[in-house]
């Protein structure tokens, strides 16, 4: 164990020496951020690769805000939650695994599995097979004979060109029946011997005579034959199988064993693997940035949801106050009719309806119209709001543009409501208002964080981004 701890210290020292070529570009809330980290995210978000000082300063400002939000998440203990840790480890380990395995060992094992499968498939390769199963309904000799007679009849129907799949659906007694008895491509070793002894003794495009097995009378259709294929044909399938069945761990142990030997570590393969894994972010700069991106990205999402997104979305009073103070911003690009387009049998009906609904709020108009015409014989209506150009009826009646179709016998059409040119309540432009309110709250949050924590950008190092 002492040797193990010493190796950890030596490795940490090695990493520190390497870090001398990676100067600190900023400090945020007491945390040093190195140039390599900043460059990773800068170039990821700046696809054009522009590195003029103005662009770098603008991005560094955004990066400070990002780091402050992450620090806020940590101050709330989000990084200590079991749900956060689990989600982060899932993301992190998925990308770490390929870096920890012995790829040569892994491929050699894949080739060995292929060779075993090729040998097991047999000289005839793969047969595409379907099956009809007709078991006796009891244990007596008469039951066996009855099942045999049925199997013979089914076989004869198949020989008379009745599709095998249809016969399987009608007569077969196993779970494959609903799929027409289709099994798929098989090798000799993929199925019980009593099946392979029948199937692989005939040529393709053959329907076998009924054969009695331990599960009853079976009839097989050999649909086609193909070669087993090369390793490349099965490579993805084999690798998927290996990942799902734990071969990756043995590949990791193989690499850990080699690495421990190179470093002179006196430890077990499992200890060496644990050390490799725990220091991967430091020994592999690119992976360190990817891992940090997962870690801090998850923290940013959760803290932003708590501080801004969910908080604002659930606080109607906050949204209404924001809207009241910024109503002038929310002007429609086209006028909007708020109300109902009504279709009456006569103008007199409309005048009565208009008088009946006078003073009614727009949102209550549908209920009032139904109350006016309880029998449903005098009025039809469509409910808005309608932006100009959205409804031919509204355009004709409200905006005097175009001509709408006549709905017999409701030949008189008119409008109950009014035209608005800007939002009257925040829900008129709900998405925009909500987004703007969230943006405002985020700005307040960032100001609070900038007042709370210290931060400093080293402009001298900043100028070297992409130029060292």
């Amino acid at each position: 164990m002492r040797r193990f701890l010493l190796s950890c210290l030596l490795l940490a020292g090695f990493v520190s020496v390497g870090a001398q070529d990676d100067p600190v570009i900023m400090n945020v809330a007491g945390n040093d951020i190195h140039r390599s980290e900043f460059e990773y995210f800068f170039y990821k978000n700046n696809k054009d690769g522009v590195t003029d000082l103005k662009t770098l300063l603008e991005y560094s400002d955004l990066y400070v805000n990002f780091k402050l939000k992450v620090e806020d998440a940590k101050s709330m203990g989000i990084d200590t939650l079991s749900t956060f840790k689990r989600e982060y480890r899932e993301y992190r380990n998925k990308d770490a695994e390929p870096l920890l395995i012995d790829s040569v060992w892994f491929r050699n094992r894949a080739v060995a599995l292929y060779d075993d499968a090729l040998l097991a498939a047999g000289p005839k390769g793969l047969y595409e097979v379907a099956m009809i199963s007709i078991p006796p309904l009891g244990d007596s000799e008469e039951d066996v004979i009855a099942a045999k007679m049925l199997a013979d009849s089914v076989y004869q129907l198949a020989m008379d060109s009745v599709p095998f799949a249809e016969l399987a659906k009608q007569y077969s007694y196993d779970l494959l029946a609903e799929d027409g008895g289709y099994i798929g491509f098989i090798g000799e070793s993929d199925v019980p011997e009593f099946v392979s002894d029948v199937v692989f003794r005939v040529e393709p495009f053959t329907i076998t005579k009924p054969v009695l097995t331990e599960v009853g009378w079976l009839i097989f259709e050999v649909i086609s034959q193909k070669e087993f294929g090369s390793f490349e044909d099965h490579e993805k399938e084999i690798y998927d199988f290996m990942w799902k069945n734990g071969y990756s761990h043995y590949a990791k142990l193989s690499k850990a064993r080699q690495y421990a030997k190179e470093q002179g570590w006196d430890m077990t393969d499992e200890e060496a693997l644990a050390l490799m894994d725990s220091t991967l972010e430091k020994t592999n700069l690119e992976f360190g940035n990817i891992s940090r991106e997962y870690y801090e990205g998850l923290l940013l999402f959760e803290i932003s949801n708590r501080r801004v997104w969910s908080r604002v979305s659930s606080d109607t009073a906050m949204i209404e106050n924001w809207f009241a103070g910024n109503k002038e911003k929310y002007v429609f690009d086209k006028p909007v009719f708020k109300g109902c387009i009504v279709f009456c049998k006569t103008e007199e009906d409309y005048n009565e309806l208009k008088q009946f609904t006078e003073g009614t709020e727009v949102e209550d108009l549908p209920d009032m119209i139904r109350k006016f015409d309880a029998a449903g014989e005098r009025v039809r209506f469509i409910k808005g709001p309608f932006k100009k150009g959205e409804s031919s009826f509204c355009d004709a009646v409200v905006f005097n543009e175009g001509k709408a179709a006549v709905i017999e016998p409701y030949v008189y059409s008119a409008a109950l409501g009014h035209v608005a040119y800007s939002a009257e309540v925040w829900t008129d432009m709900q998405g925009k208002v909500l987004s703007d309110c969230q943006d405002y709250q985020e700005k307040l949050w960032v100001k609070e964080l900038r007042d709370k924590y210290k931060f400093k950008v080293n402009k001298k190092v900043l100028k070297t981004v992409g130029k060292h």
Side-chain angles (χ1 to χ4, degrees):
M1 180 56 70
R2 291 175 63 187
R3 291 284 297 275
F4 176 69
L5 293 174
L6 180 61
S7 298
C8 292
L9 292 173
L10 288 173
L11 184 59
F14 170 77
V15 172
S16 298
V17 172
Q20 292 176 2
D21 296 328
D22 191 11
V24 173
I25 199 168
M26 64 177 67
N27 183 285
V28 180
N31 301 306
D32 286 340
I33 291 94
H34 291 269
R35 182 175 60 192
S36 62
E37 175 190 337
F38 181 85
E39 284 183 329
Y40 171 80
F41 288 100
F42 175 74
Y43 284 113
K44 185 168 185 177
N45 293 283
N46 181 15
K47 301 298 183 182
D48 296 333
V50 178
T51 56
D52 61 275
L53 185 58
K54 180 175 180 293
T55 302
L56 288 168
L57 286 170
E58 289 174 350
Y59 188 78
S60 67
D61 203 45
L62 294 174
Y63 203 69
V64 166
N65 293 345
F66 164 65
K67 285 293 187 177
L68 289 173
K69 292 174 184 178
V70 169
E71 190 64 28
D72 195 28
K74 290 179 179 179
S75 72
M76 294 181 66
I78 294 175
D79 57 330
T80 66
L81 299 176
S82 59
T83 51
F84 169 81
K85 290 180 178 179
R86 182 172 59 252
E87 187 173 7
Y88 163 66
R89 294 302 297 182
E90 287 176 357
Y91 280 117
R92 184 262 184 200
N93 290 347
K94 184 177 180 181
D95 275 343
E97 197 156 34
L99 302 175
L100 294 171
I101 69 169
D102 180 345
S103 57
V104 174
W105 182 96
F106 202 69
R107 180 175 176 81
N108 288 343
R109 190 70 191 105
V111 172
L113 287 173
Y114 165 78
D115 290 339
D116 291 343
L118 177 61
L119 182 63
K124 290 192 174 183
L126 301 176
Y127 271 18
E128 186 180 16
V129 179
M131 178 182 74
I132 294 174
S133 173
I134 302 177
L137 297 180
D139 297 328
S140 68
E141 184 177 350
E142 289 78 9
D143 291 325
V144 175
I145 293 173
K148 172 64 163 62
M149 293 176 63
L150 176 58
D152 286 340
S153 298
V154 172
Y155 171 73
Q156 190 57 53
L157 289 170
M159 298 307 292
D160 290 339
S161 300
V162 177
F164 194 88
E166 291 184 12
L167 294 173
K169 290 178 182 179
Q170 185 173 356
Y171 295 105
S172 191
Y173 279 79
D174 58 47
L175 295 176
L176 297 172
E178 62 183 28
D179 294 323
Y182 187 73
I183 297 174
F185 283 97
I186 59 172
E188 284 196 58
S189 64
D190 293 332
V191 291
E193 191 174 333
F194 67 82
V195 174
S196 63
D197 283 347
V198 176
V199 172
F200 289 92
R201 299 299 178 268
V202 299
E203 296 301 316
F205 316 113
T206 299
I207 296 176
T208 68
K209 291 182 179 181
V211 58
L212 182 60
T213 70
E214 57 191 65
V215 295
W217 294 96
L218 302 180
I219 306 170
F220 296 97
E221 180 185 29
V222 181
I223 302 169
S224 67
Q225 177 190 26
K226 69 177 182 179
E227 297 296 323
F228 186 75
S230 66
F231 171 75
E232 287 70 25
D233 293 331
H234 297 275
E235 186 173 6
K236 183 181 183 305
E237 177 186 351
I238 294 172
Y239 282 146
D240 287 345
F241 170 82
M242 292 176 68
W243 284 111
K244 291 177 183 177
N245 288 275
Y247 284 83
S248 59
H249 186 68
Y250 296 106
K252 291 178 190 176
L253 292 178
S254 175
K255 185 168 185 175
R257 188 180 311 118
Q258 296 175 38
Y259 196 60
K261 186 177 180 180
E262 293 170 1
Q263 301 297 321
W265 296 345
D266 181 16
M267 59 183 69
T268 67
D269 294 346
E270 291 286 356
E271 288 174 333
L273 175 58
L275 180 54
M276 282 176 56
D277 192 9
S278 65
T279 57
L280 189 59
E281 278 83 355
K282 295 179 179 179
T283 57
N284 187 311
L285 188 60
E286 182 178 1
F287 177 75
N289 287 323
I290 293 172
S291 179
R292 183 183 296 107
E293 184 176 7
Y294 286 142
Y295 189 85
E296 295 183 341
L298 290 171
L299 288 176
L300 176 65
F301 179 86
E302 182 59 33
I303 192 64
S304 297
N305 194 42
R306 293 188 186 191
R307 292 286 197 183
V308 179
W309 305 331
S310 291
R311 172 171 165 253
V312 173
S313 298
S314 60
D315 193 336
T316 303
M318 178 190 292
I319 301 171
E320 289 177 342
N321 286 337
W322 163 260
F323 176 74
N326 296 273
K327 286 184 68 173
E328 70 282 355
K329 294 175 58 176
Y330 302 104
V331 178
F332 298 133
D333 57 347
K334 293 181 180 180
V336 173
F337 169 72
K338 302 176 72 174
C340 295
I341 305 298
V342 296
F343 308 92
C344 302
K345 291 183 177 179
T346 65
E347 186 176 359
E348 288 73 19
D349 285 339
Y350 168 71
N351 290 331
E352 284 187 44
L353 174 62
K354 184 177 181 181
Q355 185 177 358
F356 184 81
T357 58
E358 187 173 353
T360 301
E361 297 293 334
V362 167
E363 60 270 19
D364 297 327
L365 278 173
D367 289 337
M368 289 296 288
I369 294 172
R370 295 187 189 97
K371 187 175 180 180
F372 170 79
D373 184 23
E377 296 177 350
R378 301 174 67 188
V379 182
R380 294 287 183 270
F381 71 92
I382 54 175
K383 178 185 175 184
F386 298 110
K387 184 180 289 188
K388 186 177 181 181
E390 285 185 342
S391 166
S392 60
F393 292 108
C394 180
D395 287 348
V397 172
V398 177
F399 300 113
N400 297 314
E401 291 188 2
K403 186 176 182 181
V406 175
I407 304 174
E408 295 286 353
Y410 304 94
V411 295
Y412 188 85
S413 56
L416 294 175
H418 64 277
V419 174
Y421 295 89
S422 61
E424 298 172 334
V425 293
W426 76 272
T427 51
D428 285 345
M429 295 183 72
Q430 182 169 331
K432 175 65 173 169
V433 173
L434 185 59
S435 177
D436 288 349
C437 186
Q438 288 174 336
D439 288 345
Y440 176 71
Q441 291 300 318
E442 183 175 9
K443 290 176 182 177
L444 294 180
W445 176 34
V446 169
K447 183 180 184 305
E448 175 190 330
L449 293 175
R450 283 178 169 255
D451 291 340
K452 180 179 180 181
Y453 295 106
K454 293 181 179 180
F455 56 90
K456 183 178 181 180
V457 177
N458 188 329
K459 293 183 180 179
K460 184 177 180 181
V461 177
L462 185 68
K463 291 177 182 179
T464 69
V465 168
K467 301 172 183 175
H468 55 90

